[in-house]
Amino acid sequence: MASGNTVSVTALRTLPVFQGIAPERLESVSRVAVMRRVSRGTAVVLAGDSTDFIYFVLNGNLKVTVSDEDGREVILTMIGQGDVFGEMGVVDEAPRSATVTAIASADLVQIAQADFRRILQDNFDVCLRIMSHLSHRLREADRKIESLALMDVYGRVARLLLDMAEEADGVTIVKKKISKQDIAKMIGASREMVSRVMKDLQIRGLIEETDGGVILRDQIHEV
């Protein structure tokens, strides 16, 4: 891994965007990359700020949010190991569109905007992966708009849980820790409503809340 503020080639290889890149090219990336450790509650970027860096998550969890003048917050997405953020500003040079805050301590790799643009010019594979990431985020946004427009709260909760779930030991499980308040902020509902829905889904045997996460049963696809 990295020592001090430098980032090793070994650490960069753990990030999907840099996998398969030739060692000599990764060496050039490592020379302009800096390790940053952030503690829980730290706002890494703020909506409206000018773009200075692009960030890659080595480990930890962060939330991407927007808020109104009254301080009401909407969570756009949760990000974790292997994810990237701040890439839109690198492409269009517009101010930050959202705030990104650590919800658990995190190790980030940050690269200055100008340096990353040179990396994109020199590495088509990296450029293609950034484009793929942006396309994925656009598809996620489309799905969220569809969910908000066409589904009731039950459907929105079920869709969110399914989107966050992974397969482990033969079960579908949401391992990421997420509070009911955060679920509410992600699907446009009240915390009280989310609590009622989660309780009802559990009573109906569609989910099981355990110490290891929320286990999803196959029937939840029908909600």
Side-chain angles (χ1 to χ4, degrees), residues 39-105:
S39 57
R40 182 176 179 231
T42 300
V44 183
V45 302
L46 295 172
D49 282 357
S50 58
T51 298
D52 45 9
F53 295 100
I54 184 172
Y55 298 89
F56 305 87
V57 185
L58 282 176
N59 57 65
N61 294 292
L62 306 97
K63 62 180 179 179
V64 183
T65 63
V66 293
S67 58
D68 62 17
E69 294 179 352
D70 297 325
R72 289 175 297 191
E73 182 182 81
V74 174
I75 298 176
L76 301 179
T77 190
M78 300 284 195
I79 54 180
Q81 185 176 16
D83 286 329
V84 54
F85 63 94
E87 76 285 5
M88 290 199 308
V90 171
V91 175
D92 63 11
E93 296 188 338
R96 302 289 193 190
S97 60
T99 295
V100 181
T101 306
I103 56 178
S105 60

Side-chain angles (χ1 to χ4, degrees), residues 192-204:
E192 293 74 20
M193 177 60 76
V194 169
S195 295
R196 287 199 294 271
V197 169
M198 293 283 284
K199 183 177 180 180
D200 189 55
L201 291 175
Q202 187 153 279
I203 291 172
R204 292 163 61 186

Side-chain angles (χ1 to χ4, degrees), residues 1-3 5-15 26-27 29-31 33 35 58 109:
M1 294 294 288
S3 60
N5 287 330
T6 62
V7 182
S8 69
V9 168
T10 302
L12 290 175
R13 281 204 187 99
T14 68
L15 299 169
L26 277 183
E27 286 284 357
V29 174
S30 70
R31 286 194 288 271
M35 178 78 77
L58 282 176
V109 172

